[in-house]
Amino acid sequence: MEKFMLIIREDLKRIGALTDEERFSNMPEQMEWIKSIAESGNYVTGEPLEIRGRYVSKNEVLSDGPFIEAKEGIAGYDMIMAENIDQAVAIAQMCPLVMKGVAVIEVRPVSMLDTLS
């Protein structure tokens, strides 16, 4: 099994205009999806993210959030285990937010750097 990060991307302007109640109204469906992944033994962890934050470089804060200058931003993440990227993609496509067309998910394998140990 390999580890994958599912990076949930949503329209920041849209979710920035929502109340917390509106933003998290899909949470029951989302939790059912996560429960199904956990029951299959594929779920590791995940969290929704706040819209606010900061972009930083070595010497300065480049931007305070919300990052409305970018249309799409990271709204949350999930870590899963899957046999391969095709299985990870199939799991991501079942996300209720993706199925409703309000989010897209970037599926990224987690690099295992065992040469550092």
Side-chain angles (χ1 to χ4, degrees):
M1 298 280 273
E2 297 176 60
K3 189 183 285 186
F4 293 87
M5 178 176 262
L6 307 182
I7 303 166
I8 302 168
R9 297 181 179 274
E10 291 185 67
D11 181 327
L12 292 179
K13 283 186 180 178
R14 184 187 70 78
I15 63 175
L18 300 174
T19 65
D20 281 347
E21 184 176 299
E22 291 169 328
R23 180 179 177 201
F24 296 112
S25 65
N26 293 314
M27 196 55 72
E29 294 171 79
Q30 197 71 3
M31 294 307 294
E32 283 298 315
W33 174 65
I34 290 169
K35 181 179 175 186
S36 72
I37 301 170
E39 288 173 350
S40 70
N42 295 81
Y43 191 73
V44 178
T45 191
E47 298 286 342
L49 298 173
E50 294 287 336
I51 295 172
R52 63 186 170 84
R54 294 185 176 161
Y55 284 128
V56 301
S57 68
K58 179 180 174 183
N59 297 315
E60 64 184 315
V61 175
L62 301 173
S63 175
D64 284 332
F67 308 112
I68 300 303
E69 61 271 5
K71 178 178 172 28
E72 190 180 88
I74 299 171
Y77 71 94
D78 291 295
M79 299 289 289
I80 65 167
M81 300 297 290
E83 291 295 326
N84 53 45
I85 197 162
D86 293 327
Q87 183 185 27
V89 166
I91 292 169
Q93 288 176 315
M94 297 306 294
C95 173
L97 299 175
V98 171
M99 293 178 74
K100 289 180 178 183
V102 298
V104 296
I105 294 182
E106 181 180 344
V107 178
R108 300 279 302 271
V110 175
S111 181
M112 299 300 181
L113 298 175
D114 53 352
T115 58
L116 296 177
S117 48

